[in-house]
Amino acid sequence: MTKSRHSAINMTKPYFTYIILTEKGTYYCGYTDDLEKRFEKHKAGLAAKYTRAFKPIKFVYTKEFPTKSEAMKEECRIKKLSRAKKEELIKSNGI
């Protein structure tokens, strides 16, 4: 039995855009297909130079996307926001 194109699409892992609050009160934005694994890498200092210097505390925002491309576009959009706009986003849609 072969899978239909539709069922193969539904089996694809989702991607996520996220914002992490750091111990210094700054925000780090990224994307991943596994939030838990990515956060553990950030905590271990293996994910990004920024979170090696500014230790992550918790996710304050996550949003799911069906494709990597969409998650990356959202990451880019968020990174261009001012801190005040990021805080508005977190307040209205955060965890």
Side-chain angles (χ1 to χ4, degrees):
M1 180 182 228
T2 62
K3 291 183 180 179
S4 71
R5 184 171 186 260
H6 182 70
S7 64
I9 290 171
N10 288 340
M11 298 301 291
T12 304
K13 279 181 97 171
Y15 283 83
F16 301 88
T17 301
Y18 61 87
I19 301 174
I20 291 174
L21 175 67
T22 72
E23 66 183 3
K24 299 288 185 182
T26 61
Y27 297 119
Y28 176 81
C29 182
Y31 73 92
T32 186
D33 65 350
D34 187 329
L35 288 168
E36 185 177 322
K37 186 174 168 183
R38 188 67 174 161
F39 190 74
E40 290 305 314
K41 283 190 173 188
H42 280 296
K43 284 186 1 184
L46 302 172
K49 288 180 184 178
Y50 191 86
T51 54
R52 270 182 257 160
F54 302 96
K55 302 297 180 206
I57 296 175
K58 65 180 181 177
F59 285 115
V60 291
Y61 171 86
T62 62
K63 186 172 180 181
E64 184 176 325
F65 294 91
T67 67
K68 181 178 180 179
S69 176
E70 289 173 275
M72 290 173 70
K73 286 176 186 173
E74 178 70 353
E75 175 197 23
C76 186
R77 183 189 76 81
I78 290 171
K79 285 184 173 183
K80 292 177 183 176
L81 297 175
S82 67
R83 180 177 175 90
K85 292 290 185 186
K86 287 175 188 163
E87 289 175 344
E88 284 179 27
L89 177 67
I90 292 163
K91 186 175 180 179
S92 64
N93 300 299
I95 298 172

Coordinates of all heavy atoms in Angstrom, one line a residue:
M1 N 0.8 -1.2 0.0 CA 0.0 0.0 0.0 C 0.9 1.2 0.0 O 1.8 1.4 0.8 CB -0.9 0.0 1.2 CG -1.8 1.1 1.3 SD -2.8 1.0 2.9 CE -4.3 1.3 2.2
T2 N 0.6 2.2 -0.9 CA 1.4 3.4 -0.9 C 0.7 4.6 -0.3 O -0.6 4.6 -0.2 CB 1.7 3.8 -2.4 OG1 0.5 4.0 -3.1 CG2 2.5 2.7 -3.1
K3 N 1.4 5.5 0.2 CA 0.8 6.7 0.9 C 0.4 7.7 -0.2 O 1.2 7.8 -1.2 CB 1.8 7.3 1.8 CG 2.1 6.5 3.0 CD 3.1 7.3 3.9 CE 3.4 6.5 5.1 NZ 4.3 7.3 6.0
S4 N -0.7 8.3 0.0 CA -1.1 9.3 -0.9 C -0.2 10.6 -0.7 O 0.4 10.7 0.4 CB -2.6 9.7 -0.8 OG -2.8 10.4 0.4
R5 N -0.2 11.5 -1.6 CA 0.6 12.7 -1.4 C 0.1 13.5 -0.2 O 0.8 14.0 0.6 CB 0.5 13.6 -2.7 CG 1.3 14.8 -2.6 CD 1.4 15.5 -4.0 NE 2.3 16.6 -3.9 CZ 1.9 17.9 -3.8 NH1 0.6 18.2 -3.7 NH2 2.8 18.9 -3.7
H6 N -1.2 13.5 0.0 CA -1.9 14.2 1.1 C -1.4 13.7 2.4 O -1.1 14.4 3.3 CB -3.4 14.2 1.0 CG -4.1 15.0 2.0 ND1 -4.0 16.3 2.1 CD2 -4.8 14.5 3.1 CE1 -4.7 16.7 3.1 NE2 -5.2 15.7 3.8
S7 N -1.4 12.3 2.6 CA -1.1 11.8 3.9 C 0.4 12.0 4.1 O 0.8 12.1 5.3 CB -1.4 10.3 3.9 OG -0.7 9.5 3.0
A8 N 1.3 12.0 3.1 CA 2.7 12.2 3.3 C 2.9 13.6 3.8 O 3.8 13.9 4.6 CB 3.5 12.0 2.0
I9 N 2.2 14.6 3.3 CA 2.3 16.0 3.8 C 1.9 16.1 5.2 O 2.5 16.7 6.0 CB 1.4 16.9 2.9 CG1 2.0 17.0 1.5 CG2 1.3 18.3 3.5 CD1 1.2 17.8 0.5
N10 N 0.8 15.4 5.6 CA 0.3 15.4 7.0 C 1.3 14.8 8.0 O 1.3 15.0 9.1 CB -1.0 14.7 7.1 CG -2.1 15.6 6.5 OD1 -2.0 16.8 6.3 ND2 -3.2 14.9 6.2
M11 N 2.2 13.9 7.5 CA 3.2 13.2 8.3 C 4.4 14.0 8.5 O 5.3 13.7 9.3 CB 3.6 11.9 7.7 CG 2.4 10.9 7.5 SD 1.6 10.5 9.1 CE 2.9 9.5 9.9
T12 N 4.6 15.1 7.8 CA 5.7 16.0 7.9 C 5.7 16.7 9.3 O 4.7 17.2 9.7 CB 5.7 17.1 6.8 OG1 5.7 16.4 5.6 CG2 7.0 17.9 6.9
K13 N 6.9 16.7 9.9 CA 7.0 17.4 11.2 C 6.8 18.9 11.0 O 7.3 19.5 10.1 CB 8.4 17.2 11.8 CG 8.6 15.9 12.5 CD 10.0 15.9 13.0 CE 10.0 16.3 14.5 NZ 11.3 16.1 15.1
P14 N 6.1 19.5 12.0 CA 5.9 21.0 11.9 C 7.2 21.7 12.3 O 8.1 21.1 12.9 CB 4.8 21.3 12.9 CG 4.9 20.2 13.9 CD 5.4 19.0 13.1
Y15 N 7.3 23.0 11.9 CA 8.4 23.8 12.4 C 7.9 24.9 13.3 O 6.7 25.2 13.2 CB 9.1 24.4 11.2 CG 10.1 23.5 10.5 CD1 9.6 22.6 9.5 CD2 11.4 23.4 10.8 CE1 10.4 21.7 8.9 CE2 12.3 22.5 10.1 CZ 11.7 21.7 9.2 OH 12.6 20.8 8.6
F16 N 8.7 25.4 14.1 CA 8.3 26.4 15.1 C 9.2 27.6 15.1 O 10.4 27.5 14.9 CB 8.3 25.9 16.5 CG 7.5 24.7 16.7 CD1 8.0 23.4 16.4 CD2 6.2 24.8 17.1 CE1 7.2 22.3 16.6 CE2 5.4 23.7 17.3 CZ 5.9 22.4 17.0
T17 N 8.7 28.8 15.2 CA 9.4 30.0 15.5 C 9.3 30.2 17.0 O 8.2 30.0 17.5 CB 8.9 31.2 14.7 OG1 9.0 30.9 13.3 CG2 9.7 32.5 15.0
Y18 N 10.3 30.7 17.7 CA 10.3 30.8 19.1 C 11.0 32.0 19.6 O 11.9 32.5 18.9 CB 10.8 29.6 19.8 CG 12.2 29.3 19.5 CD1 13.3 29.9 20.3 CD2 12.6 28.4 18.5 CE1 14.6 29.6 20.0 CE2 13.9 28.1 18.2 CZ 14.9 28.7 19.0 OH 16.2 28.5 18.7
I19 N 10.7 32.5 20.7 CA 11.4 33.6 21.4 C 11.7 33.0 22.8 O 10.8 32.5 23.5 CB 10.6 34.9 21.5 CG1 10.3 35.4 20.2 CG2 11.4 35.9 22.3 CD1 9.4 36.7 20.2
I20 N 13.0 33.1 23.2 CA 13.5 32.7 24.5 C 13.8 34.0 25.3 O 14.4 34.9 24.8 CB 14.7 31.8 24.4 CG1 14.4 30.5 23.8 CG2 15.4 31.7 25.8 CD1 15.6 29.6 23.5
L21 N 13.4 34.0 26.6 CA 13.8 35.0 27.5 C 15.2 34.5 28.1 O 15.3 33.4 28.6 CB 12.8 35.2 28.6 CG 13.2 36.2 29.7 CD1 13.3 37.6 29.2 CD2 12.1 36.1 30.9
T22 N 16.2 35.4 28.2 CA 17.4 35.1 28.8 C 17.6 35.6 30.2 O 16.8 36.5 30.6 CB 18.6 35.6 27.9 OG1 18.7 37.0 28.1 CG2 18.5 35.3 26.5
E23 N 18.6 35.2 30.9 CA 18.8 35.6 32.3 C 19.1 37.1 32.4 O 18.9 37.7 33.5 CB 19.9 34.8 32.9 CG 21.3 35.0 32.3 CD 22.4 34.2 32.9 OE1 22.1 33.3 33.8 OE2 23.5 34.3 32.5
K24 N 19.5 37.7 31.3 CA 19.8 39.2 31.4 C 18.6 40.0 30.9 O 18.6 41.2 30.8 CB 20.9 39.5 30.4 CG 22.2 38.8 30.8 CD 22.8 39.5 32.0 CE 24.2 38.8 32.3 NZ 24.8 39.3 33.5
G25 N 17.4 39.3 30.7 CA 16.2 40.0 30.3 C 16.1 40.3 28.9 O 15.2 41.0 28.4
T26 N 17.0 39.7 28.1 CA 17.0 39.9 26.6 C 16.2 38.8 26.0 O 15.9 37.8 26.6 CB 18.4 40.0 26.0 OG1 19.1 38.8 26.3 CG2 19.2 41.2 26.6
Y27 N 15.9 39.0 24.7 CA 15.2 38.0 23.9 C 16.1 37.4 22.8 O 16.9 38.1 22.2 CB 13.9 38.6 23.3 CG 12.9 39.1 24.2 CD1 12.6 40.4 24.2 CD2 12.3 38.2 25.2 CE1 11.6 40.9 25.2 CE2 11.4 38.7 26.1 CZ 11.0 40.0 26.1 OH 10.1 40.5 27.0
Y28 N 15.9 36.1 22.6 CA 16.5 35.4 21.5 C 15.5 34.8 20.7 O 14.6 34.1 21.2 CB 17.5 34.3 22.0 CG 18.1 33.6 20.8 CD1 19.2 34.2 20.1 CD2 17.6 32.4 20.4 CE1 19.7 33.5 19.0 CE2 18.1 31.7 19.3 CZ 19.2 32.3 18.6 OH 19.7 31.7 17.5
C29 N 15.5 35.0 19.3 CA 14.5 34.4 18.4 C 15.2 33.4 17.5 O 16.3 33.6 17.0 CB 13.9 35.5 17.6 SG 12.6 35.0 16.5
G30 N 14.5 32.3 17.2 CA 15.0 31.3 16.3 C 13.9 30.4 15.8 O 12.7 30.7 16.0
Y31 N 14.2 29.4 15.1 CA 13.3 28.4 14.6 C 13.8 27.0 14.7 O 15.0 26.8 14.8 CB 12.9 28.7 13.1 CG 14.0 28.3 12.1 CD1 14.0 27.1 11.5 CD2 15.0 29.2 11.8 CE1 15.0 26.7 10.7 CE2 16.0 28.9 10.9 CZ 16.0 27.6 10.4 OH 17.0 27.3 9.5
T32 N 12.9 26.0 14.8 CA 13.3 24.6 14.9 C 12.2 23.7 14.6 O 11.1 24.1 14.4 CB 13.7 24.4 16.4 OG1 14.3 23.0 16.5 CG2 12.6 24.5 17.4
D33 N 12.5 22.4 14.5 CA 11.4 21.4 14.3 C 11.2 20.6 15.6 O 10.4 19.7 15.6 CB 11.7 20.5 13.1 CG 13.0 19.6 13.3 OD1 13.7 19.9 14.3 OD2 13.2 18.7 12.5
D34 N 12.0 21.0 16.6 CA 11.9 20.3 17.9 C 12.2 21.2 19.1 O 13.3 21.5 19.4 CB 12.8 19.1 18.0 CG 12.6 18.2 19.2 OD1 12.2 18.7 20.3 OD2 12.9 17.0 19.1
L35 N 11.1 21.8 19.6 CA 11.3 22.9 20.7 C 12.1 22.4 21.9 O 13.0 23.1 22.3 CB 10.0 23.4 21.1 CG 9.2 24.3 20.1 CD1 7.8 24.5 20.5 CD2 10.0 25.6 19.9
E36 N 11.7 21.2 22.4 CA 12.4 20.7 23.6 C 13.9 20.5 23.4 O 14.8 20.9 24.2 CB 11.7 19.4 24.1 CG 12.3 18.9 25.4 CD 11.5 17.7 25.8 OE1 10.3 17.6 25.7 OE2 12.2 16.8 26.4
K37 N 14.2 19.8 22.3 CA 15.6 19.5 21.9 C 16.4 20.8 21.7 O 17.5 20.9 22.2 CB 15.6 18.6 20.7 CG 17.0 18.1 20.3 CD 16.8 17.1 19.1 CE 18.1 16.8 18.5 NZ 17.9 15.9 17.3
R38 N 15.8 21.7 21.0 CA 16.5 23.0 20.7 C 16.8 23.8 22.0 O 17.8 24.3 22.2 CB 15.7 23.9 19.8 CG 16.4 25.1 19.3 CD 17.6 24.7 18.4 NE 18.2 25.9 17.8 CZ 19.4 25.9 17.3 NH1 20.1 24.8 17.3 NH2 19.9 27.0 16.8
F39 N 15.8 23.8 23.0 CA 16.0 24.5 24.2 C 17.1 23.8 25.0 O 17.9 24.5 25.6 CB 14.7 24.5 25.0 CG 14.8 25.5 26.2 CD1 14.8 26.8 26.1 CD2 15.0 25.0 27.5 CE1 14.9 27.7 27.1 CE2 15.1 25.8 28.6 CZ 15.0 27.2 28.4
E40 N 17.2 22.5 25.0 CA 18.3 21.8 25.7 C 19.6 22.2 25.1 O 20.6 22.4 25.8 CB 18.0 20.3 25.7 CG 16.9 19.9 26.6 CD 17.0 20.3 28.0 OE1 18.1 20.2 28.6 OE2 16.0 20.8 28.6
K41 N 19.7 22.3 23.8 CA 20.9 22.7 23.1 C 21.3 24.2 23.5 O 22.5 24.4 23.8 CB 20.8 22.6 21.6 CG 20.9 21.2 21.1 CD 21.1 21.1 19.6 CE 21.4 19.7 19.2 NZ 21.7 19.6 17.8
H42 N 20.3 25.0 23.6 CA 20.6 26.4 24.1 C 21.1 26.4 25.5 O 22.1 27.1 25.8 CB 19.3 27.3 24.0 CG 19.0 27.8 22.6 ND1 19.8 28.7 21.9 CD2 17.9 27.6 21.8 CE1 19.3 29.0 20.8 NE2 18.1 28.3 20.7
K43 N 20.5 25.6 26.4 CA 20.9 25.6 27.8 C 22.3 25.0 27.9 O 23.1 25.4 28.8 CB 20.0 24.7 28.6 CG 18.7 25.4 28.9 CD 17.7 24.7 29.8 CE 18.1 23.4 30.4 NZ 17.1 22.8 31.2
A44 N 22.7 24.1 27.0 CA 24.0 23.5 27.1 C 25.1 24.3 26.4 O 26.3 24.0 26.4 CB 24.0 22.1 26.4
G45 N 24.7 25.5 25.8 CA 25.6 26.3 25.0 C 26.0 25.8 23.7 O 27.0 26.2 23.1
L46 N 25.2 24.9 23.1 CA 25.5 24.3 21.8 C 24.7 24.8 20.6 O 24.8 24.3 19.5 CB 25.3 22.8 21.9 CG 26.2 22.1 23.0 CD1 25.8 20.7 23.2 CD2 27.7 22.2 22.7
A47 N 23.8 25.8 20.9 CA 22.9 26.2 19.8 C 23.3 27.5 19.1 O 23.3 27.6 17.9 CB 21.5 26.3 20.3
A48 N 23.6 28.5 19.9 CA 23.8 29.8 19.3 C 24.8 30.6 20.2 O 24.8 30.4 21.4 CB 22.5 30.6 19.2
K49 N 25.7 31.4 19.6 CA 26.6 32.2 20.4 C 25.9 33.1 21.4 O 26.4 33.2 22.5 CB 27.5 33.0 19.5 CG 28.5 32.2 18.7 CD 29.3 33.2 17.8 CE 30.3 32.4 16.9 NZ 31.1 33.2 16.0
Y50 N 24.8 33.6 21.0 CA 24.1 34.5 21.8 C 23.6 33.9 23.1 O 23.8 34.5 24.2 CB 22.8 35.1 21.1 CG 22.2 36.2 21.8 CD1 22.6 37.5 21.6 CD2 21.1 36.0 22.7 CE1 22.1 38.6 22.3 CE2 20.6 37.1 23.4 CZ 21.0 38.4 23.2 OH 20.5 39.4 23.8
T51 N 23.1 32.7 23.0 CA 22.6 32.0 24.2 C 23.7 31.3 25.0 O 23.5 30.8 26.1 CB 21.5 31.0 23.9 OG1 21.9 30.1 22.9 CG2 20.2 31.7 23.5
R52 N 25.0 31.4 24.5 CA 26.1 31.0 25.3 C 26.4 32.1 26.3 O 26.8 31.9 27.4 CB 27.3 30.6 24.4 CG 27.4 29.2 24.1 CD 28.6 28.9 23.2 NE 28.1 28.8 21.8 CZ 28.9 28.9 20.8 NH1 30.2 29.2 20.9 NH2 28.4 28.8 19.6
A53 N 26.3 33.3 25.8 CA 26.6 34.5 26.6 C 25.5 34.9 27.5 O 25.7 35.4 28.6 CB 27.0 35.7 25.6
F54 N 24.3 34.8 27.0 CA 23.1 35.1 27.7 C 22.2 33.9 27.9 O 21.5 33.5 27.0 CB 22.3 36.2 27.0 CG 23.1 37.4 26.7 CD1 23.7 37.6 25.5 CD2 23.2 38.4 27.7 CE1 24.4 38.8 25.3 CE2 23.9 39.6 27.5 CZ 24.5 39.8 26.2
K55 N 22.4 33.2 29.1 CA 21.8 31.9 29.3 C 20.2 32.0 29.2 O 19.6 32.9 29.7 CB 22.1 31.4 30.7 CG 23.6 31.3 30.9 CD 24.2 30.3 30.0 CE 25.7 30.1 30.2 NZ 26.4 29.7 29.1
P56 N 19.7 31.0 28.5 CA 18.2 31.0 28.4 C 17.5 30.6 29.6 O 18.0 29.7 30.4 CB 18.0 29.9 27.3 CG 19.2 29.0 27.4 CD 20.3 29.9 27.9
I57 N 16.3 31.2 29.8 CA 15.5 30.9 31.0 C 14.3 30.0 30.6 O 14.0 29.0 31.1 CB 15.0 32.1 31.7 CG1 16.2 32.9 32.3 CG2 14.0 31.8 32.8 CD1 15.8 34.2 32.9
K58 N 13.5 30.6 29.6 CA 12.3 29.9 29.1 C 11.8 30.4 27.8 O 12.2 31.5 27.4 CB 11.2 30.0 30.2 CG 10.7 31.5 30.3 CD 9.6 31.6 31.4 CE 9.2 33.1 31.5 NZ 8.0 33.2 32.4
F59 N 11.0 29.6 27.2 CA 10.3 30.1 26.0 C 9.2 31.1 26.5 O 8.5 30.8 27.4 CB 9.6 29.0 25.2 CG 10.5 28.1 24.5 CD1 10.6 26.7 24.8 CD2 11.2 28.5 23.4 CE1 11.4 25.9 24.1 CE2 12.0 27.7 22.6 CZ 12.1 26.4 23.0
V60 N 9.1 32.2 25.8 CA 8.0 33.1 26.1 C 7.0 33.3 24.9 O 6.0 33.8 25.0 CB 8.5 34.5 26.5 CG1 9.2 34.5 27.8 CG2 9.5 35.1 25.4
Y61 N 7.4 32.7 23.7 CA 6.6 32.7 22.5 C 7.0 31.5 21.7 O 8.2 31.3 21.5 CB 6.8 34.0 21.8 CG 6.2 34.1 20.4 CD1 4.9 34.5 20.3 CD2 6.9 33.7 19.3 CE1 4.3 34.6 19.0 CE2 6.3 33.8 18.0 CZ 5.0 34.3 17.9 OH 4.4 34.3 16.7
T62 N 6.0 30.8 21.2 CA 6.2 29.8 20.1 C 5.0 29.9 19.1 O 3.9 30.2 19.5 CB 6.3 28.4 20.7 OG1 5.0 28.0 21.3 CG2 7.4 28.2 21.7
K63 N 5.3 29.6 17.9 CA 4.3 29.6 16.9 C 4.6 28.5 15.9 O 5.8 28.4 15.4 CB 4.1 30.9 16.1 CG 3.0 31.0 15.2 CD 2.8 32.3 14.6 CE 1.6 32.4 13.7 NZ 1.4 33.7 13.1
E64 N 3.6 27.6 15.6 CA 3.8 26.5 14.7 C 3.6 26.8 13.3 O 2.6 27.6 13.0 CB 2.9 25.3 15.1 CG 3.1 24.1 14.4 CD 2.2 22.9 14.9 OE1 2.0 22.8 16.1 OE2 1.8 22.1 14.1
F65 N 4.4 26.2 12.4 CA 4.2 26.4 10.9 C 4.4 25.1 10.2 O 5.1 24.2 10.7 CB 5.3 27.4 10.4 CG 5.2 28.8 10.9 CD1 5.8 29.2 12.0 CD2 4.4 29.7 10.2 CE1 5.7 30.4 12.5 CE2 4.2 31.0 10.7 CZ 4.9 31.3 11.9
P66 N 3.7 24.9 9.1 CA 3.8 23.6 8.4 C 5.1 23.4 7.6 O 5.4 22.3 7.3 CB 2.6 23.7 7.4 CG 2.3 25.1 7.2 CD 2.7 25.8 8.5
T67 N 5.8 24.5 7.4 CA 7.0 24.4 6.6 C 8.2 25.2 7.3 O 8.0 26.1 8.0 CB 6.9 24.9 5.2 OG1 6.7 26.3 5.2 CG2 5.8 24.3 4.4
K68 N 9.4 24.7 7.0 CA 10.6 25.4 7.5 C 10.7 26.8 6.9 O 11.0 27.8 7.6 CB 11.8 24.6 7.0 CG 13.1 25.2 7.5 CD 14.3 24.3 7.0 CE 15.6 24.8 7.4 NZ 16.7 23.9 7.0
S69 N 10.3 27.0 5.7 CA 10.4 28.3 5.0 C 9.5 29.3 5.8 O 9.9 30.5 6.0 CB 9.9 28.2 3.6 OG 9.9 29.5 3.0
E70 N 8.3 28.9 6.1 CA 7.4 29.8 6.8 C 7.9 30.2 8.2 O 7.8 31.3 8.6 CB 6.0 29.2 7.0 CG 5.2 29.1 5.6 CD 3.9 28.4 5.8 OE1 4.0 27.1 5.7 OE2 2.9 29.0 6.0
A71 N 8.5 29.2 8.9 CA 9.0 29.5 10.2 C 10.2 30.4 10.1 O 10.4 31.3 10.9 CB 9.5 28.2 10.9
M72 N 11.0 30.2 9.1 CA 12.2 31.1 8.9 C 11.8 32.5 8.6 O 12.4 33.5 9.1 CB 13.1 30.6 7.8 CG 13.8 29.3 8.2 SD 14.7 28.6 6.8 CE 16.0 29.7 6.5
K73 N 10.7 32.7 7.8 CA 10.2 34.0 7.5 C 9.7 34.7 8.7 O 9.9 35.9 8.9 CB 9.1 33.9 6.4 CG 9.6 33.6 5.0 CD 8.5 33.4 4.0 CE 9.1 33.0 2.7 NZ 8.0 32.6 1.7
E74 N 9.0 34.0 9.6 CA 8.5 34.6 10.8 C 9.6 35.0 11.7 O 9.6 36.0 12.3 CB 7.5 33.6 11.5 CG 7.0 34.1 12.8 CD 6.0 35.3 12.7 OE1 5.8 35.8 11.6 OE2 5.5 35.6 13.8
E75 N 10.7 34.1 11.8 CA 11.9 34.5 12.6 C 12.5 35.8 12.1 O 12.8 36.7 12.9 CB 12.9 33.4 12.5 CG 14.2 33.7 13.2 CD 15.4 32.8 12.8 OE1 15.4 32.3 11.7 OE2 16.3 32.8 13.6
C76 N 12.6 35.9 10.8 CA 13.2 37.1 10.2 C 12.3 38.3 10.5 O 12.8 39.4 10.9 CB 13.3 36.9 8.7 SG 14.2 38.3 7.9
R77 N 11.0 38.2 10.4 CA 10.1 39.3 10.7 C 10.2 39.7 12.2 O 10.3 40.9 12.5 CB 8.7 38.9 10.4 CG 7.6 40.0 10.6 CD 6.2 39.5 10.5 NE 5.8 38.7 11.7 CZ 5.4 39.3 12.9 NH1 5.3 40.6 13.0 NH2 5.0 38.5 13.9
I78 N 10.3 38.7 13.1 CA 10.3 39.0 14.5 C 11.7 39.7 14.8 O 11.7 40.7 15.6 CB 10.2 37.8 15.4 CG1 8.7 37.3 15.3 CG2 10.5 38.0 16.8 CD1 8.4 35.9 15.9
K79 N 12.8 39.3 14.3 CA 14.1 39.9 14.5 C 14.2 41.3 14.2 O 14.9 42.1 14.7 CB 15.2 39.1 13.9 CG 15.5 37.7 14.6 CD 16.6 37.0 14.0 CE 17.0 35.8 14.8 NZ 18.1 35.1 14.3
K80 N 13.3 41.7 13.2 CA 13.3 43.1 12.8 C 12.5 44.0 13.7 O 12.5 45.2 13.6 CB 12.8 43.2 11.3 CG 13.7 42.6 10.3 CD 13.1 42.7 8.9 CE 14.0 42.0 7.9 NZ 13.4 42.0 6.6
L81 N 11.7 43.4 14.6 CA 10.8 44.2 15.5 C 11.6 44.9 16.6 O 12.7 44.3 17.0 CB 9.8 43.3 16.1 CG 8.8 42.6 15.2 CD1 7.9 41.7 16.1 CD2 7.9 43.6 14.5
S82 N 11.2 46.0 17.0 CA 11.7 46.6 18.2 C 11.4 45.8 19.4 O 10.6 44.9 19.4 CB 11.2 48.0 18.4 OG 9.8 47.9 18.8
R83 N 12.1 46.0 20.5 CA 11.9 45.3 21.8 C 10.4 45.5 22.2 O 9.8 44.5 22.6 CB 12.8 45.7 22.9 CG 12.6 45.0 24.2 CD 13.6 45.3 25.3 NE 13.2 44.7 26.5 CZ 13.6 43.5 26.9 NH1 14.4 42.8 26.1 NH2 13.2 42.9 28.0
A84 N 9.9 46.7 22.1 CA 8.6 47.0 22.5 C 7.6 46.2 21.7 O 6.6 45.6 22.2 CB 8.3 48.5 22.3
K85 N 7.8 46.1 20.4 CA 6.9 45.3 19.5 C 7.0 43.8 19.8 O 6.0 43.1 19.8 CB 7.2 45.5 18.0 CG 6.9 46.9 17.5 CD 5.4 47.1 17.5 CE 5.1 48.5 16.9 NZ 3.6 48.8 17.0
K86 N 8.2 43.3 20.1 CA 8.4 41.9 20.5 C 7.6 41.7 21.8 O 6.9 40.6 22.0 CB 9.8 41.6 20.8 CG 10.6 41.5 19.5 CD 12.1 41.2 19.7 CE 12.9 41.3 18.4 NZ 14.3 41.5 18.6
E87 N 7.7 42.6 22.8 CA 6.9 42.4 24.0 C 5.4 42.4 23.8 O 4.7 41.7 24.4 CB 7.4 43.5 25.0 CG 8.8 43.2 25.5 CD 9.3 44.3 26.4 OE1 8.8 45.4 26.5 OE2 10.3 44.0 27.1
E88 N 4.9 43.3 22.8 CA 3.5 43.2 22.5 C 3.1 41.9 21.9 O 2.1 41.3 22.3 CB 3.2 44.3 21.4 CG 3.1 45.7 22.0 CD 2.9 46.7 20.9 OE1 2.2 46.4 19.8 OE2 3.3 47.9 21.0
L89 N 4.0 41.3 21.0 CA 3.7 40.0 20.4 C 3.7 39.0 21.5 O 2.8 38.1 21.5 CB 4.8 39.7 19.4 CG 4.8 38.3 18.8 CD1 3.6 38.2 17.8 CD2 6.1 38.1 18.0
I90 N 4.6 39.0 22.4 CA 4.7 38.0 23.5 C 3.4 38.2 24.4 O 2.8 37.2 24.8 CB 6.0 38.2 24.4 CG1 7.2 37.8 23.5 CG2 5.9 37.4 25.6 CD1 8.5 38.3 24.0
K91 N 3.1 39.4 24.7 CA 1.9 39.6 25.6 C 0.6 39.1 25.0 O -0.2 38.5 25.6 CB 1.8 41.1 25.9 CG 0.7 41.4 27.0 CD 0.7 42.9 27.3 CE -0.4 43.1 28.4 NZ -0.4 44.5 28.8
S92 N 0.5 39.3 23.7 CA -0.8 38.9 23.0 C -0.8 37.5 22.6 O -1.9 36.9 22.4 CB -1.1 39.8 21.8 OG 0.0 39.7 20.8
N93 N 0.3 36.9 22.3 CA 0.4 35.5 21.8 C 1.3 34.6 22.5 O 1.6 33.5 22.1 CB 0.8 35.5 20.3 CG -0.1 36.3 19.5 OD1 -1.3 36.0 19.3 ND2 0.4 37.4 18.9
G94 N 1.9 35.0 23.6 CA 3.0 34.3 24.2 C 2.4 33.1 25.0 O 1.2 32.8 25.1
I95 N 3.4 32.4 25.6 CA 3.0 31.2 26.4 C 2.5 31.6 27.8 O 3.0 32.5 28.4 CB 4.3 30.3 26.5 CG1 4.7 29.9 25.1 CG2 4.1 29.1 27.5 CD1 6.0 29.2 25.1

